[in-house]
Amino acid sequence: MHRRTTTATTVTAVTSVLAAAALLAGCSSPGGGVPEPPATSRPATSTAAAPTATAEPSDSESAAPATGTATVTGTVATGLTTPWGVAELPDGALLVASRDTGKILRTDPATGKTTEVGSVPGVAGGTPGSEGGLLGLAISPSFGADRLVYAYFTTADDNRIARMLYDPSRPVGQQLGAPDTILRGIPSGTNHNGGRIAFGPDKMLYAGTGESGNQPLAQDKTSLGGKILRMTPDGQPAHGNPEADSVVYSYGHRNVQGLAWDAQGRLWAAEFGQNTWDELNLIEPGKNYGWPVVEGQAHRAGYVDPVAQWHTDDASPSGIAYAAGCIWMASLKGERLWRIPLDGTKAAAAPQAFFTGTYGRLRTVVTVEDGTLLLTTSNTDGRGTPKPGDDRILRLKVG
């Protein structure tokens, strides 16, 4: 049972339609997007997502254009240290988690002013080159009433999720209350820590976890590692989960760091591959996404194939967001932003890349309104080459 006190124990060729789309996209676009051959896509073999999701495309759904645009329209903040999670407050301000320092910062997008909200006690593992520390952030769906901020972070013993009262009336640096741990025992390690959290359209909290380098955990449904978890705001198993007494929602994942819902409420997730294929998956409750038995599109019974996949040098995906009918995927090693146009539950065309090598490693992407995204760099994380002003948050216009 996984309750509050839980402890853990080459693909089919792209069709001629996609090839034609790729040729069209090879011409320069306003945002400089160029589709890259290693990325491939195919129709999804599964169609459902969260219990409230619409499984099939509605009559009003239409496919996103094969190619689009992405343009940087401004810089929201600079001089950030290892930014990881980003959450938008109701007033438009941003909370930003600094992975290595364990601090949560507040940034005013209008002025770029950044102040310290507070430090999360007990954070460990935040060292250059590692994957632990203060990771994902989420804002309570009832924030106006409860003022709660949720954080996923690494401790000396595990990864866990806690919530904290945020009181902006208190002095700068002292605006966080004591952490209330709602879920503990998520396996931790130097690598594959997952860390993305987000509230879904159903107001339940979802978390992407990693198998912490212990591959069999991904197939062990009694472990919280290598999973997508779904829980109530209190950390209890959510009604409608595959197993009533478990927060495990899907399994067979290697390292999930991106979660986003489309306009129909379907859940999408980005996942790091091992040496060959990174993945974008459409998530169904209770389904097995294959790791470590399969990686990428294997066409094997019992395992869900990704909707799109990339060679790891071209992606290594972290955060994703949904806007303008597309999934937008931030890539670390690939140093680019991928646009994946959707046609219901499948990719409408080949993925398209923007900003390749321009801003370095890209970690988190957030939708602030349809057509406007925020994108963070991740060049101070020990694996990048910082430029003056790094790390930064960029504002994008997309379509």
Side-chain angles (χ1 to χ4, degrees):
M1 298 174 66
H2 302 304
R3 298 189 182 272
R4 179 177 302 203
T5 57
T6 302
T7 53
T9 35
T10 300
V11 297
T12 302
V14 180
T15 65
S16 59
V17 173
L18 294 185
L23 288 170
L24 286 172
C27 301
S28 61
S29 65
V34 180
E36 311 230 350
T40 62
S41 58
R42 64 180 295 272
T45 58
S46 53
T47 56
T52 55
T54 301
E56 296 293 340
S58 70
D59 292 340
S60 62
E61 278 193 274
S62 58
T67 60
T69 59
T71 305
V72 174
T73 60
T75 300
V76 173
T78 59
L80 301 174
T81 300
T82 57
W84 213 101
V86 177
E88 186 183 25
L89 293 167
D91 64 1
L94 304 174
L95 295 184
V96 183
S98 173
R99 187 195 70 184
D100 291 358
T101 69
K103 295 178 180 180
I104 296 179
L105 310 175
R106 178 186 173 113
T107 294
D108 182 343
T111 65
K113 181 180 179 181
T114 298
T115 57
E116 182 182 338
V117 170
S119 295
V120 179
V123 173
T127 57
S130 77
E131 295 178 10
L134 180 58
L135 305 175
L137 294 180
I139 303 300
S140 167
S142 305
F143 183 81
D146 59 33
R147 311 292 297 185
L148 290 175
V149 176
Y150 289 72
Y152 181 120
F153 59 96
T154 310
T155 73
D157 302 313
D158 62 2
N159 287 309
R160 61 185 60 178
I161 301 171
R163 56 188 179 186
M164 297 155 284
L165 181 67
Y166 169 47
D167 184 357
S169 69
R170 294 178 58 84
V172 170
Q174 302 175 36
Q175 297 171 346
L176 290 178
D180 170 24
T181 299
I182 65 165
L183 188 70
R184 66 181 75 238
I186 303 170
S188 64
T190 303
N191 301 309
H192 311 175
N193 274 301
R196 195 69 61 182
I197 57 174
F199 280 95
D202 55 2
K203 298 185 179 181
M204 296 295 106
L205 182 63
Y206 293 72
T209 74
E211 32 82 317
S212 65
N214 186 354
Q215 297 181 4
L217 294 183
Q219 291 293 320
D220 180 358
K221 289 192 282 186
T222 68
S223 169
L224 298 177
K227 309 293 188 297
I228 292 176
L229 311 177
R230 176 175 178 263
M231 68 200 80
T232 69
D234 295 327
Q236 301 301 308
H239 177 70
N241 277 6
E243 296 182 16
D245 63 346
S246 174
V247 297
V248 172
Y249 192 65
S250 63
Y251 67 108
H253 299 289
R254 182 176 178 271
N255 189 13
V256 176
Q257 287 190 12
L259 300 171
W261 288 263
D262 64 22
Q264 302 298 320
R266 293 177 289 248
L267 175 59
W268 299 81
E271 180 171 341
F272 286 84
Q274 176 78 25
N275 297 310
T276 310
W277 298 116
D278 294 324
E279 303 178 358
L280 176 69
N281 287 296
L282 177 62
I283 302 302
E284 283 192 271
K287 295 297 185 178
N288 185 344
Y289 288 79
W291 181 254
V293 183
V294 296
E295 179 183 0
Q297 296 166 358
H299 315 298
R300 287 183 57 174
Y303 306 110
V304 180
D305 277 350
V307 173
Q309 65 182 23
W310 296 258
H311 289 300
T312 54
D313 285 349
D314 300 317
S316 297
S318 188
I320 62 173
Y322 174 82
C326 305
I327 296 294
W328 300 83
M329 188 176 80
S331 297
L332 293 162
K333 188 175 182 179
E335 297 189 353
R336 67 202 75 180
L337 178 69
W338 285 102
R339 173 189 181 269
I340 305 95
L342 300 181
D343 182 5
T345 60
K346 63 183 185 293
Q352 180 183 7
F354 294 89
F355 315 127
T356 302
T358 302
Y359 299 103
R361 294 164 60 81
L362 304 178
R363 170 73 66 181
T364 295
V365 57
V366 177
T367 303
V368 292
E369 60 184 20
D370 196 34
T372 301
L373 302 176
L374 299 178
L375 178 66
T376 73
T377 65
S378 189
N379 295 316
T380 61
D381 64 2
R383 298 181 181 180
T385 302
K387 300 177 182 178
D390 279 341
D391 274 311
R392 64 194 71 214
I393 303 175
L394 305 171
R395 182 183 289 108
L396 277 56
K397 186 69 176 177
V398 301

